Each structure stands twice: as structure tokens, then as C-alpha cells.
């Protein structure tokens, strides 16, 4: 438990007061105060920064990305996460106590550039973990359904099961889960993470992922009442609406560390759906919506290697994960928000 206590140590307290102060902070779950987010211009990062700023205060959340600029007001740093020293300097400059490391290539893009994916996904991760170790920071990074492979049980995929992914992205995710475990066991870094399903939101589009169709389908439904998907009918994957994904990060980061048995790789899921399920849900609002298929063999093969539906029991039991949005509730909200946006 050293990580979160020592960085909040008020020097004037006696040792006993210190312990009590730290214990009280942890009991209150009040351990996450100044946060550096990498990959902040990405699909998760852009919304996570907004949510964290609402919760912890604008100046307490430092957004960073390799792409310059920022979506909204607040501290922003341009960082290439493969530059470990730059990452360290920024974390130190802002005196952060938490790093949420999101910078990574998604599955289809990683398949197109495997070596780049290794360098960015693994190089960035170990740099961020080193910073967390050296500066005593709490740490979050997402794993994915992509960590599983064709030999994994597809339905109600268990928390602990066969993990032999056949994509570079999946190799990175499995290695990343293990690396986070290692930094916890070896150095006591308070590492935590979830295996995200495909994430759906109306704010920032994803890029280079296999599950991206499940976002595009909504944009095109509103724009053209028609969508051509690159994923074949009958291909099920786990999905989740962004508010549930963001809520999960905060809940996990504030969870009692003593309860976290599977700390770096919790299965979480809300929806298991194939393209035709999205079409059916959309037709409840746009009856003339048409779905066509033009299957991309690369992304189809990736999708077929992933689970149909994850079992999130461990996350529910260990830190109270629950999803608010099912397919119908998410669809109603997505379409309503996109109609206003477009
Ligand atoms: N949404 C991601 C992708 O499709 C999976 O983690 O690559």
C-alpha cells in the first residue's frame, strides 16, 4: 500500500498520524487527485479527460497526446510516449499521483503496422510503468477483448482462460497485462486495468479498430439511413457504451485494493451483438434503416478470433462493476445525441 500513502505524506504529522491519515484517505477512496492521461485525443481519452475534470477539477487532470492541441480547456502536453524521459519530465512537472495510459494503436491498424504497434504499444507501456514506479504513481491502462484468441472459449469467456491471441494487438495486450502484474509484484506499483470490449460513443470516433463498425453504423443511420458493414452477419463481439466504460475506470481506481485479486485485467462487458442486432435496435427508431455487407477479410478474421461474450463476474464481485446501458438503451441515446450533433 506504499504507493498512494507516501506521496500524500504531510511532513508535519507524526508517524502515527501519518498512517491514520493515509488509511482514512484510502477508506474514503480519495487517493486519485492529480492525473496524467496519455492518448487524451483518442476515443476513450477525450471523454475520460472531461469526466475526470468534472470529478477532480480541471487543473488536476493533465491531458497529453502526440497530436498537439486539446478538445477543451485545461492543462495539455504534447508527448510521444515512446520517449520515456519526456513522459517522466511531464509527470514530475505536474506532480501527478496517477497516470492513465491510453496511447496505443488499435487492432486493425496494428495488423497493418505490427512493428510500429509493438514499439508504440509495448514501448509506451513500459515507459509509463517506469514513470509510475519512479514517481510512486497509481496506474491504469486498458487491456481488451483482443487479448483473447481463437482457442479461447467464445461464450461467457471466463476471467481466467486460454489466451493465445493471433493479432499483434492481442500479443501486446496479453504482454501488457503481464507487465502490469509484474510492476505490481516486483515494485509495488498500484497497477489496475480492465479488458474493454468495443466501445461506442458519439463524441470522438475510434480509429483503426475492428469494432469501429458499431460506431459508424449509428453515424450513417442518422446521416443516410443506410450502412455497409465490413463485419459479417452472425459475428458476435462484446460492446459497451462509453459512459459505462468511463464509470468503470473511476470505480476500479477508487476500489479497495485489498479486494482486487485480478487487478490488471478484469473482463467487463455490457452487450454481445452482431451487426444485425444493431440494425434491429436502430430500426426501432429509424424503421427504413438498411444494413448491407461488404466484408473486410482482415477485420473479419480478427473479429472471429475474439470472444462472443465475456463473463464479468470477477469485476462485479471485486469492485462492483455493473453496466447501465444495454443495446436498446444505448441505441436510443446514441441516435438522440447524434441527431443533435450532425
Ligand atoms: N475496439 C478495439 C479494436 O477493435 C478492441 O479493443 O481494436
Amino acid at each position: 500500500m506504499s504507493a498512494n500513502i507516501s506521496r500524500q505524506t504531510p511532513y508535519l504529522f507524526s508517524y502515527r498520524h501519518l498512517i491514520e491519515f493515509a488509511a482514512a484517505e484510502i477508506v474514503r477512496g480519495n487517493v486519485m487527485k492529480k492525473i496524467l492521461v496519455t492518448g487524451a485525443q483518442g476515443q476513450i481519452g477525450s471523454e475520460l479527460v472531461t469526466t475526470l475534470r468534472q470529478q477532480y477539477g480541471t487543473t488536476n487532470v493533465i491531458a497529453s497526446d502526440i497530436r498537439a492541441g486539446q478538445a477543451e480547456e485545461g492543462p495539455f502536453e504534447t508527448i510521444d510516449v515512446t520517449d520515456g524521459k519526456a513522459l517522466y519530465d511531464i509527470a514530475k512537472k505536474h506532480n501527478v499521483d496517477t497516470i492513465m495510459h491510453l496511447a496505443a494503436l488499435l487492432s486493425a491498424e496494428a495488423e497493418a503496422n505490427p512493428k510500429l504497434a509493438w514499439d508504440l504499444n509495448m514501448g509506451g507501456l513500459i515507459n509509463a510503468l517506469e514513470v509510475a514506479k519512479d514517481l510512486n504513481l497509481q496506474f491504469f491502462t486498458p487491456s481488451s477483448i483482443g487479448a483473447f484468441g481463437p482457442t479461447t472459449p467464445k461464450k461467457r469467456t471466463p476471467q481466467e482462460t486460454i489466451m493465445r491471441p493471433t493479432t499483434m494487438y492481442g500479443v501486446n495486450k496479453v504482454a501488457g497485462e503481464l507487465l502490469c502484474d509484474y510492476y505490481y509484484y516486483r515494485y509495488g506499483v498500484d497497477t489496475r486495468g480492465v479488458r474493454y470490449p468495443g466501445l461506442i460513443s458519439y463524441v470522438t470516433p475510434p480509429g483503426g479498430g475492428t469494432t469501429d463498425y458499431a460506431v459508424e453504423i449509428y453515424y450513417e443511420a442518422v446521416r443516410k439511413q443506410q450502412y455497409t458493414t465490413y463485419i459479417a452477419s452472425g459475428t458476435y463481439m462484446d460492446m459497451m457504451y462509453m459512459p459505462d466504460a468511463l464509470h468503470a475506470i473511476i470505480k476500479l481506481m477508487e476500489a479497495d485494493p485489498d479486494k482486487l485479486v485480478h487487478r490488471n485485467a478484469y473482463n467487463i462487458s455490457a452487450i454481445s451483438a452482431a451487426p444485425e442486432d444493431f440494425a434491429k435496435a436502430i430500426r426501432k427508431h429509424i424503421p427504413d434503416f438498411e444494413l448491407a455487407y461488404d466484408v473486410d477479410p482482415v477485420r473479419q478474421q480478427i473479429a472471429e478470433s475474439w470472444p462472443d461474450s465475456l463473463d464479468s463476474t470477477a469485476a462485479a464481485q471485486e469492485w462492483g462493476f455493473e453496466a447501465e446501458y444495454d443495446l436498446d438503451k444505448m441505441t436510443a441515446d446514441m441516435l438522440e445525441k447524434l441527431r443533435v450533433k450532425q
Side-chain angles (χ1 to χ4, degrees):
M1 60 191 253
S2 62
N4 293 319
I5 294 175
S6 57
R7 67 171 182 262
Q8 298 186 23
T9 301
Y11 295 113
L12 297 175
F13 282 14
S14 72
Y15 187 68
R16 192 172 64 80
H17 281 114
L18 264 182
I19 301 278
E20 284 169 5
F21 169 80
E25 287 284 285
I26 284 173
V27 167
R28 283 200 298 270
N30 191 16
V31 292
M32 196 167 65
K33 291 208 172 71
K34 195 143 197 198
I35 306 157
L36 174 64
V37 179
T38 71
Q41 306 265 55
Q43 190 201 13
I44 304 174
S46 57
E47 288 187 62
L48 178 63
V49 165
T50 307
T51 303
L52 292 174
R53 283 181 175 160
Q54 281 160 0
Q55 184 135 347
Y56 301 103
T58 302
T59 54
N60 287 327
V61 181
I62 321 308
S64 73
D65 202 288
I66 195 166
R67 291 167 283 184
Q70 64 188 112
E72 57 165 291
E73 293 304 307
F76 183 90
E77 299 279 359
T78 305
I79 305 181
D80 175 353
V81 293
T82 61
D83 182 346
K85 175 154 188 330
L87 196 55
Y88 177 91
D89 289 345
I90 295 293
K92 191 151 175 74
K93 173 180 149 193
H94 290 279
N95 198 22
V96 299
D97 56 37
T98 301
I99 182 162
M100 296 191 173
H101 177 61
L102 306 177
L105 288 192
L106 289 183
S107 57
E109 206 173 345
E111 234 26 58
N113 303 286
K115 173 67 166 61
L116 174 66
W118 179 269
D119 291 344
L120 174 60
N121 294 358
M122 300 314 300
L125 178 60
I126 201 160
N127 285 342
L129 283 165
E130 278 291 299
V131 172
K133 172 180 70 114
D134 292 344
L135 296 177
N136 214 7
L137 312 181
Q138 199 187 21
F139 189 89
F140 173 86
T141 200
S143 184
S144 158
I145 51 172
F148 297 111
T151 50
T152 300
K154 276 202 170 303
K155 298 204 189 303
R156 288 198 61 76
T157 303
Q159 173 67 40
E160 294 192 48
T161 185
I162 300 164
M163 302 183 79
R164 305 290 296 174
T166 47
T167 62
M168 175 52 92
Y169 180 72
V171 170
N172 296 165
K173 289 300 184 189
V174 175
E177 289 181 9
L178 296 174
L179 199 58
C180 290
D181 283 350
Y182 180 79
Y183 271 70
Y184 170 67
Y185 289 122
R186 175 76 201 265
Y187 303 116
V189 179
D190 184 2
T191 53
R192 305 184 185 196
V194 294
R195 293 182 185 132
Y196 272 136
L199 298 181
I200 295 163
S201 89
Y202 59 88
V203 179
T204 306
T210 301
T211 57
D212 296 10
Y213 90 86
V215 178
E216 291 163 10
I217 196 169
Y218 288 106
Y219 276 84
E220 296 299 291
V222 171
R223 259 187 222 135
K224 302 198 285 197
Q225 293 77 55
Q226 194 278 338
Y227 177 65
T228 302
T229 174
Y230 55 81
I231 292 292
S233 158
T235 311
Y236 282 81
M237 285 185 277
D238 291 90
M239 304 283 175
M240 182 180 284
Y241 201 29
M242 189 61 85
D244 282 331
L246 300 178
H247 190 224
I249 298 186
I250 293 174
K251 203 154 188 189
L252 173 61
M253 294 304 274
E254 295 197 339
D256 176 353
D258 293 341
K259 299 217 168 92
L260 302 181
V261 180
H262 303 90
R263 60 172 39 244
N264 285 308
Y266 286 98
N267 282 1
I268 59 169
S269 183
I271 297 158
S272 168
E276 60 272 25
D277 298 317
F278 286 97
K280 203 170 146 200
I282 288 169
R283 280 191 201 110
K284 291 180 188 165
H285 305 266
I286 305 173
D288 295 337
F289 176 71
E290 284 176 24
L291 179 64
Y293 295 88
D294 181 12
V295 174
D296 166 18
V298 174
R299 284 178 287 183
Q300 180 61 28
Q301 199 180 11
I302 296 174
E304 284 174 14
S305 77
W306 290 354
D308 289 1
S309 59
L310 298 187
D311 177 0
S312 322
T313 308
Q317 285 174 348
E318 292 175 31
W319 49 277
F321 166 75
E322 60 183 339
E324 189 191 329
Y325 288 87
D326 62 13
L327 180 57
D328 283 335
K329 192 170 176 189
M330 174 180 75
T331 300
D333 199 59
M334 272 297 277
L335 294 175
E336 188 189 319
K337 298 287 175 19
L338 284 176
R339 279 186 178 124
V340 174
K341 189 177 168 183
Q342 293 198 34

